[in-house]
Amino acid sequence: MTFVTLFPGATNIHLTKDVGMIPFIMHKYYGYDSTLVCYKNDEYDYLETEVKGLKIDFLEKKTGNSTVDGLLYLIKNSRKIDVLHLFHISKRSFIWILVYKTLNPKGKVYLKLDVDHRIKEKDRQKSPFKVFLIKKILSMCKLVSVETKQLYSWIKENWNMDIEYIPNGFYDKGMRHNVAYDNKENIILTVGRIGTRQKATEILLKAFEIAHEKIPNWKLMLVGPIEEEFKNYVQAFFKNNPHLEERVVFTGPIYDRNLLDEIYRKSKIFCLPSRWESFGIVLVEALKNGCYIITSDIPLADDVTDNGKYGKKFAVDDFHELASLLVNVCNSDEINEKKVQEIQDFAYRNFYWPEICKKIHEKLNE
């Protein structure tokens, strides 16, 4: 069966996220002929190292409008696509679903909602007719999924429709690496786009600034590209805290997946202070490597901490509460050899891409 993920904005980094991993795993483990369709936005080095076997088909920029260019692609190719994999509740997705199902009534659509808590507010602003229209189009999909249990329950209750809870995951190329607690260091790690409003990096920096004297043997490591407008904040932070220059480390982006895994394996705590997330894949990559989680109270917080068993959550933007958590966790025996092993086992039971895609495969073929 042909499996096509249509995602015009995909870059190389998307290949290791759900955009690339789902079609790749569907090919590698379940025999699909998988293709990612996108504009040529990057060099896509991961095609050879991380997702070998996944094909890529570059979308022609006939108009420069992704909705229209995707539409033209579907007009030409819909009859050759057995499963069309799309993301987001949007006009663009709905247009593509309508066109695809018109041209290929027997074809199957898998719509991955990729939503965060803001869907609740947006839903309240929709007219009854718009809600009816959305549900009508969603009913044309073979499979609709959401990434967190909290939003799964909310959609089931408020939209009265068939939906599946299917989280995001991680992949280890089929080779599990058991992390030894003895190899871990006193590192609090975060990974992402440093300084964006979504990632709320300043909340983590403020918390560490408050907590640092009570956790003297700990370092904070921030991995990822730094937003240009955030660089002034970083300069001011070090100007006010010159004593933290050796303890707060900005590495910049790390695209070598092996090197990034080494940093996860060395870290004891992974902290995500985001203001919103549909699903932070970095959290399950941290779990895979035995990291204890401290995250803002976003919908996936309970999922990735097993309701507080393998991590803690704090109120969004509350750097004082985060500072208190850092002090408490770093000075406790919460992170130990047994807990590190349990965290890894929990990750493999719940967030391993081959098992996640097994559910997708089964639902598509029911």
Side-chain angles (χ1 to χ4, degrees):
M1 294 177 70
T2 54
F3 186 102
V4 170
T5 300
L6 179 54
F7 194 90
T11 61
N12 189 53
I13 196 70
H14 284 95
L15 298 182
T16 59
K17 299 180 182 293
D18 47 359
V19 172
M21 291 306 301
I22 290 175
F24 167 66
I25 297 294
M26 295 297 278
H27 161 71
K28 184 174 176 65
Y29 285 79
Y30 302 104
Y32 290 78
D33 181 8
S34 295
T35 302
L36 170 64
V37 177
C38 63
Y39 291 128
K40 194 176 191 311
N41 304 304
D42 215 334
E43 292 304 316
Y44 304 98
D45 299 334
Y46 287 159
L47 283 172
E48 293 301 318
T49 58
E50 305 300 325
V51 290
K52 203 169 180 63
L54 175 64
K55 293 187 288 191
I56 198 162
D57 194 359
F58 292 121
L59 196 60
E60 290 185 57
K61 273 195 177 178
K62 290 186 176 178
T63 69
N65 181 306
S66 64
T67 302
V68 177
D69 289 339
L71 182 63
L72 293 173
Y73 178 87
L74 290 173
I75 289 171
K76 183 179 178 182
N77 296 285
S78 284
R79 292 174 186 84
K80 298 181 283 188
I81 300 171
D82 295 311
V83 180
L84 178 64
H85 175 212
L86 303 174
F87 288 75
H88 309 132
I89 298 180
S90 65
K91 288 180 183 177
R92 182 174 82 171
S93 294
F94 293 164
I95 290 169
W96 289 346
I97 291 168
L98 287 168
V99 170
Y100 172 71
K101 289 297 289 183
T102 300
L103 295 174
N104 185 0
K106 292 183 178 180
K108 300 173 183 179
V109 177
Y110 169 30
L111 180 64
K112 190 174 189 292
L113 296 188
D114 194 33
V115 290
D116 55 59
H117 71 279
R118 294 174 297 176
I119 190 177
K120 299 178 183 179
E121 182 60 35
K122 290 176 182 176
D123 187 63
R124 283 193 285 270
Q125 298 168 2
K126 288 183 173 67
S127 67
F129 174 73
K130 200 173 231 182
V131 172
F132 167 79
L133 195 61
I134 289 171
K135 289 172 71 173
K136 189 71 176 173
I137 295 172
L138 291 179
S139 71
M140 300 172 72
C141 300
K142 178 68 176 176
L143 174 61
V144 180
S145 74
V146 69
E147 294 75 16
T148 61
K149 291 177 181 176
Q150 184 187 116
L151 292 179
Y152 165 77
S153 299
W154 182 86
I155 291 171
K156 289 277 284 187
E157 183 179 334
N158 288 271
W159 291 10
N160 190 30
M161 61 169 284
D162 287 333
I163 190 167
E164 295 294 333
Y165 162 64
I166 299 178
N168 284 334
F170 65 88
Y171 186 53
D172 59 1
K173 299 182 181 178
M175 297 175 290
R176 175 168 172 169
H177 185 113
N178 288 311
V179 177
Y181 173 75
D182 290 345
N183 293 334
K184 285 193 171 290
E185 300 173 16
N186 289 344
I187 294 173
I188 302 160
L189 173 68
T190 194
V191 178
R193 291 168 289 118
I194 305 300
T196 63
R197 171 157 177 75
Q198 177 191 2
K199 299 302 180 184
T201 312
E202 73 280 7
I203 299 301
L204 179 54
L205 288 172
K206 287 176 182 178
F208 191 78
E209 183 179 11
I210 293 169
H212 77 274
E213 289 183 343
K214 295 180 180 178
I215 49 172
N217 299 317
W218 286 76
K219 285 186 176 182
L220 173 61
M221 185 175 290
L222 304 97
V223 176
I226 304 175
E227 294 292 300
E228 199 60 40
E229 58 270 25
F230 194 67
K231 290 179 179 176
N232 289 335
Y233 185 97
V234 173
Q235 289 178 351
F237 176 84
F238 284 128
K239 186 176 180 180
N240 293 329
N241 300 281
H243 52 290
L244 293 181
E245 285 191 4
E246 297 298 317
R247 294 180 59 194
V248 177
V249 180
F250 291 85
T251 69
I254 296 176
Y255 299 116
D256 183 323
R257 301 294 300 176
N258 293 326
L259 180 57
L260 186 57
D261 257 353
E262 283 181 23
I263 293 173
Y264 276 119
R265 285 196 288 268
K266 285 199 303 184
S267 303
K268 286 183 180 176
I269 294 172
F270 186 90
C271 184
L272 188 72
S274 297
R275 294 185 168 96
W276 67 87
E277 291 279 352
S278 59
F279 195 104
I281 291 177
V282 290
L283 287 170
V284 293
E285 291 180 343
L287 288 172
K288 174 192 78 166
N289 288 292
C291 298
Y292 188 87
I293 302 296
I294 298 180
T295 177
S296 52
D297 190 6
I298 45 182
L300 75 157
D302 289 337
D303 298 353
V304 296
T305 64
D306 197 13
N307 298 301
K309 189 174 181 182
Y310 302 120
K312 298 188 183 300
K313 60 185 179 181
F314 61 95
V316 170
D317 282 341
D318 192 338
F319 55 87
H320 289 288
E321 185 181 6
L322 174 54
S324 178
L325 285 180
L326 291 175
V327 171
N328 290 339
V329 174
C330 292
N331 288 307
S332 73
D333 60 356
E334 187 80 21
I335 307 168
N336 52 49
E337 187 171 356
K338 182 172 180 286
K339 185 63 68 74
V340 167
Q341 183 64 50
E342 285 182 3
I343 290 171
Q344 286 186 275
D345 292 341
F346 168 71
Y348 273 89
R349 283 195 308 272
N350 294 276
F351 304 109
Y352 190 44
W353 271 127
E355 290 301 314
I356 293 168
C357 288
K358 181 181 180 182
K359 182 175 181 178
I360 295 171
H361 169 65
E362 290 172 349
K363 291 296 177 182
L364 287 172
N365 289 283
E366 282 182 348

